[in-house]
Amino acid sequence: MTTAYYTHADCKRHEMGSWHPESPERLQAIEDQLIASRINTLLDYREAPAALESDLARVHTADAIYRIRENCPSERSEYDHFPLDGDTSLNAYTWRASLRAAGAAVAATDAVIDAEIENAFCAIRPPGHHATSKEAMGFCMFNNVAVAAKHALEVRGLQRVAIVDFDVHHGNGTEEIFNGDQRVLMVSFFQHPYYPYCGTEHPASNMVNVPVPAHSYGNVIRELVSEQWLPALEAFKPEMIFISAGFDAHREDDMGQLGLVEADYAWITQQIMRVAKTHSHGRIVSCLEGGYNLSALARSVIAHVKILADLE
């Protein structure tokens, strides 16, 4: 089995202030843990290309793209920021990083469909799943997984794709983009009530949104995956699976109040792998979303990638 690891140095140059939890150090922590775990040499490292604006335009409005492209501060003012909302801003390198993040997801999709690799993990930032078709929000600029899924459907000709989102926050942007699109099944769990305070009001038939209360632990999550996600995925028979891989549901991450540990992320990944092997020729593209406690993030990513790469 070949698992590719997509990333790019540009993804570390986007930052929103030294105080901000969505920091470049997140990617460095993952890379350090890959080396410490001695699995870095077992992955197919690939440099993320830049996405084309036409890739973004399948998902985002021209105004949403323009607002990010045209409002990044000059590189001569690398410490300046342009605010998009209270917790999301642009610096001089955000446009470049955002293109690399979406481009990683698209390139991984092509490589998986072309059977160059079986699956991929994209260590990218900015994250994406809060970005709607019309606006950036919640640390997210462009919706990387949505861009990749649209590419699979509209460029590569797949008929059915699934999106699995296990971030502590609901992937509202992904839901908005694919709401009612019967080519896409989205399954997720998320802490509720919690940012972005949605996902529970009359979801479309292609959305399996599972809100869980604060302080839910791995046994609760495993039960809902078994009883709600897996039957839906088996019935849908996706030709490819995309993962919005957020690790902020970890019990050590103070951005949420759920109680997952590395073993839970490994188990969830195993379940997704079984569905992919049955229905999707093993095709999986996983993209980093949240996860802000650097140690817990890095350990959880390693647990996830080890299962993808069949190293457990």
Side-chain angles (χ1 to χ4, degrees):
M1 180 182 298
T2 303
T3 295
Y5 182 89
Y6 282 83
T7 193
H8 197 280
D10 284 346
C11 291
K12 295 180 183 176
R13 304 188 78 182
H14 159 69
E15 55 82 26
M16 295 183 283
S18 59
W19 58 272
H20 205 290
E22 206 294 282
S23 67
E25 287 75 23
R26 299 175 66 230
L27 296 188
Q28 190 61 56
I30 293 169
E31 292 171 14
D32 291 346
Q33 192 65 37
L34 284 170
I35 295 169
S37 301
R38 300 181 180 178
I39 66 170
N40 58 310
T41 59
L42 303 176
L43 304 175
D44 181 353
Y45 275 72
R46 298 192 173 196
E47 187 170 89
L52 302 174
E53 286 197 40
S54 58
D55 296 323
L56 305 178
R58 292 187 193 96
V59 168
H60 297 287
T61 64
D63 183 68
I65 297 169
Y66 175 91
R67 192 170 186 220
I68 294 173
R69 185 185 63 232
E70 299 301 321
N71 285 305
C72 289
S74 165
E75 291 187 15
R76 295 189 298 274
S77 307
E78 61 179 305
Y79 298 108
D80 290 347
H81 296 89
F82 179 89
L84 296 174
D85 63 30
D87 57 18
T88 309
S89 63
L90 311 174
N91 80 336
Y93 306 103
T94 300
W95 173 250
R96 195 182 304 173
S98 299
L99 291 181
R100 296 291 184 183
V106 171
T109 299
D110 281 334
V112 167
I113 292 174
D114 291 337
E116 295 176 19
I117 54 176
E118 185 156 9
N119 57 51
F121 179 75
C122 300
I124 51 177
R125 49 182 301 279
H129 73 154
H130 294 309
T132 70
S133 61
K134 296 179 181 179
E135 64 178 336
M137 62 179 292
F139 310 170
C140 302
M141 305 302 165
F142 301 122
N143 196 310
N144 306 311
V145 160
V147 169
K150 282 269 192 172
H151 180 80
L153 293 165
E154 297 183 4
V155 177
R156 299 308 305 264
L158 298 191
Q159 301 298 309
R160 297 178 311 283
V161 302
I163 297 173
V164 175
D165 188 322
F166 52 70
D167 195 275
V168 76
H169 305 95
H170 177 50
N172 62 299
T174 313
E175 179 175 23
E176 183 262 344
I177 290 162
F178 292 114
N179 195 46
D181 186 339
Q182 297 303 317
R183 302 173 299 172
V184 180
L185 173 69
M186 180 179 176
V187 301
S188 68
F189 67 79
F190 49 92
Q191 182 178 325
H192 182 78
Y194 202 44
Y195 181 89
Y197 304 103
C198 60
T200 59
E201 297 298 319
H202 310 295
S205 61
N206 65 319
M207 298 287 152
V208 180
N209 298 349
V210 187
V212 296
H215 311 299
S216 297
Y217 284 80
N219 61 319
V220 173
I221 300 303
R222 293 186 191 213
E223 183 176 355
L224 73 84
V225 168
S226 296
E227 295 184 357
Q228 299 189 56
W229 282 16
L230 295 180
L233 288 165
E234 290 288 347
F236 186 68
K237 298 179 173 58
E239 296 174 295
M240 188 167 182
I241 299 176
F242 295 89
I243 304 175
S244 276
F247 298 97
D248 41 7
H250 195 285
R251 67 174 59 174
E252 295 174 21
D253 198 310
D254 60 10
M255 286 289 284
Q257 292 84 43
L258 297 187
L260 273 64
V261 295
E262 296 91 311
D264 296 313
Y265 289 115
W267 182 87
I268 293 169
T269 309
Q270 288 171 336
Q271 309 317 303
I272 300 168
M273 290 276 287
R274 290 193 182 104
V275 175
K277 287 177 179 178
T278 301
H279 301 293
S280 316
H281 305 286
R283 298 167 173 163
I284 295 173
V285 170
S286 178
C287 296
L288 181 65
E289 300 284 1
Y292 304 100
N293 177 296
L294 297 183
S295 176
L297 167 65
R299 299 191 322 263
S300 300
V301 169
I302 299 309
H304 177 59
V305 170
K306 279 184 174 181
I307 300 300
L308 289 177
D310 198 22
L311 299 175
E312 282 290 305

